[in-house]
Amino acid sequence: MIIFEDVLTKDEMMSNIFKYTLEYDDAIMKIQTQYKAADQVGSVDIGCGNEFGGGEADAGVDEEPAEKVIDVVYNAGLQEYHMDKKEFMSFLKAYFAKIVKYLEDNGKADRVPTFKKGATDFTKFIVKKYDEIENIYVGKSHSEDDDEIKGGIGITYWEDESAKGPVLYLFKDGLKEVKC
């Protein structure tokens, strides 16, 4: 199994148990999510020491309908984060600078122009749809007391209303593959 970890915070953002495509010059991971009952999603521990099916349900207990969650978001423990369009644009500018520095510092300077182009093209797309974005997500390590987001974000957007869940977008260059 491969975990996609935020390069700035080491937060798990996704795993390869979910299918994805790369878009916008391979700068964006696009994952079709699904809303599922939380007890059907299971959990994946970044240390890969966890079972995939979750715990056993208590027999004979009447339960209320299970809460519906977005599978990828739930598995990675991502947290909702609210910001207006101006804050979003400001965040992206600072985040892109951090990713460019990361790429340059880690022997991937040749990727910088392609990342900038892909990230810019995606930003143009998503800003036009900003009012339609379902949610923005941050990793587990973010605290409500934090003044700013330290790592990357995930963005959910309904591309197809007939789908079982929204699309989740992640910035691929801000992620590192960790094999478990």
Side-chain angles (χ1 to χ4, degrees):
M1 174 187 295
I2 296 173
I3 301 297
F4 293 93
E5 186 178 89
D6 186 295
V7 298
L8 302 173
T9 63
K10 307 278 189 257
D11 288 339
E12 176 183 343
M13 299 298 282
M14 190 187 103
S15 75
N16 71 339
I17 63 171
F18 299 102
K19 294 182 178 167
Y20 64 91
T21 58
L22 294 176
E23 298 190 355
Y24 296 93
D25 294 309
D26 296 344
I28 299 296
M29 292 176 76
K30 177 181 170 181
I31 308 102
Q32 180 59 60
T33 69
Q34 293 185 35
Y35 271 101
K36 294 182 177 180
D39 62 351
Q40 293 177 348
V41 176
S43 62
V44 178
D45 184 335
I46 191 166
C48 296
N50 192 356
E51 64 183 327
F52 292 96
E56 295 287 327
D58 292 336
V61 176
D62 289 335
E63 296 182 23
E64 293 185 27
E67 173 191 11
K68 295 280 188 175
V69 297
I70 299 174
D71 53 4
V72 180
V73 170
Y74 186 80
N75 260 2
L78 302 180
Q79 306 172 62
E80 281 186 42
Y81 188 87
H82 302 281
M83 64 177 97
D84 64 27
K85 190 187 284 190
K86 184 178 177 184
E87 292 168 326
F88 180 72
M89 293 300 295
S90 179
F91 164 79
L92 288 179
K93 183 178 179 182
Y95 179 68
F96 292 167
K98 291 176 186 177
I99 296 307
V100 166
K101 181 173 178 2
Y102 170 80
L103 292 170
E104 291 171 345
D105 290 350
N106 287 278
K108 300 177 184 180
D110 58 328
R111 175 75 185 141
V112 170
T114 308
F115 164 71
K116 284 182 175 180
K117 181 183 179 315
T120 299
D121 290 346
F122 172 74
T123 299
K124 289 175 185 175
F125 161 76
I126 205 67
V127 166
K128 288 179 189 174
K129 310 278 186 187
Y130 193 81
D131 292 335
E132 300 170 36
I133 289 175
E134 183 174 77
N135 281 310
I136 295 172
Y137 293 94
V138 295
K140 288 181 188 179
S141 68
H142 184 80
S143 165
E144 289 182 24
D145 296 333
D146 293 338
D147 290 337
E148 66 181 55
I149 302 170
K150 294 181 177 74
I153 60 172
I155 302 164
T156 52
Y157 169 73
W158 283 92
E159 277 190 352
D160 178 0
E161 291 296 324
S162 66
K164 294 181 180 181
V167 171
L168 173 67
Y169 296 108
L170 298 170
F171 291 94
K172 174 71 168 100
D173 294 279
L175 302 173
K176 176 182 174 183
E177 293 183 21
V178 178
K179 292 183 182 184
C180 298

